Amino acid sequence: MAFKVFNPGDVLTASDVNEYLMKQATIVCTSGTRPSSPVEGMTIVETDTELIRVWSGSTWVTIGYTQPQFAYKTSDQQVTNSTTKANDSDLVLPVQANAVYAVEATILYQGFAANDVGVDFTFPSGTMSWGISSLAASVTTYTGEASGAGISAGASGSGFVLGAAGLSNTLLALVKGTLSIGGSAGNLQFRFAQQSAAASTSAIIKTGSSLWLRRVA
């Protein structure tokens, strides 16, 4: 099958549609509904796996992944008088089974120095190796975690403590890491709370915080 140039007045037959239109278009499908009779060079985008594949003539070859996923926080959210981490209402993104992602997040937050802000992630079975740095306050690990900027997290994640400086100061923390998902799909969920509970203060994640995911394997 070669590329065909249509001229004014040509009759578009069913054969033309099947050969030159359907087989030369980028097909949107799932991994279970791929074209049954592909031709060499056919390109598909699988919505369930986020994979872009090309038919080599004998097999589907993965050539890339769909665009990165992005979540943006549209309003402030706070936790008061509690060390139980709450799901952030905006910073959550879907992840696929058996996939590996690069993770980045920008966290704008407020809290009192006496209480600080505890943060972590939850995700389906798998592992997440990540680090966090704050440009305006100290970052420490929870009791029992390995020291240093990076930790290896289990299925429920592990977390860090962000130093705070009062509700008049909005601070910035940056997250980078790698997330490897096991056999179950689900969500990557950012969570936060006060590190030391106090009824008179709050841990606040501010509008403008963001979360990025980019599939790499």
Side-chain angles (χ1 to χ4, degrees):
M1 177 187 64
F3 184 82
K4 181 175 181 178
V5 175
F6 290 90
N7 298 307
D10 284 353
V11 176
L12 185 64
T13 66
S15 176
D16 286 335
V17 171
N18 290 332
E19 290 297 313
Y20 297 104
L21 178 61
M22 297 300 293
K23 291 183 179 179
Q24 293 182 11
T26 298
I27 308 299
V28 177
C29 60
T30 69
S31 57
T33 61
R34 298 170 187 164
S36 58
S37 300
V39 295
E40 186 173 359
M42 179 179 283
T43 302
I44 63 173
V45 177
E46 295 178 353
T47 57
D48 59 330
T49 65
E50 303 171 4
L51 296 177
I52 302 171
R53 302 183 192 265
V54 172
W55 183 254
S56 68
S58 59
T59 188
W60 290 106
V61 178
T62 299
I63 61 170
Y65 302 92
T66 54
Q67 65 184 6
Q69 299 169 259
F70 177 71
Y72 176 80
K73 191 151 188 66
T74 58
S75 61
D76 292 357
Q77 183 179 346
Q78 67 182 40
V79 172
T80 302
N81 197 29
S82 177
T83 60
T84 300
K85 290 184 179 63
N87 288 343
D88 189 286
S89 56
D90 296 300
L91 302 184
V92 55
L93 289 170
V95 292
Q96 302 294 333
N98 304 309
V100 180
Y101 296 89
V103 182
E104 294 188 20
T106 300
I107 306 300
L108 303 172
Y109 70 97
Q110 292 177 337
F112 279 91
N115 308 107
D116 291 331
V117 180
V119 299
D120 71 3
F121 289 92
T122 60
F123 47 89
S125 61
T127 59
M128 182 174 177
S129 297
W130 60 295
I132 189 167
S133 61
S134 174
L135 303 185
S138 61
V139 178
T140 59
T141 55
Y142 287 163
T143 302
E145 290 184 358
S147 61
I151 51 96
S152 181
S156 61
S158 297
F160 287 93
V161 179
L162 299 179
L167 297 185
S168 62
N169 298 282
T170 297
L171 305 180
L172 174 69
L174 302 176
V175 174
K176 281 185 174 292
T178 302
L179 174 64
S180 299
I181 300 299
S184 298
N187 290 320
L188 175 66
Q189 172 71 64
F190 178 74
R191 307 191 308 174
F192 73 101
Q194 291 179 297
Q195 178 63 10
S196 299
S200 59
T201 69
S202 300
I204 304 173
I205 303 299
K206 299 289 290 180
T207 302
S209 298
S210 61
L211 174 64
W212 288 84
L213 277 181
R214 180 170 57 88
R215 185 167 177 178
V216 296

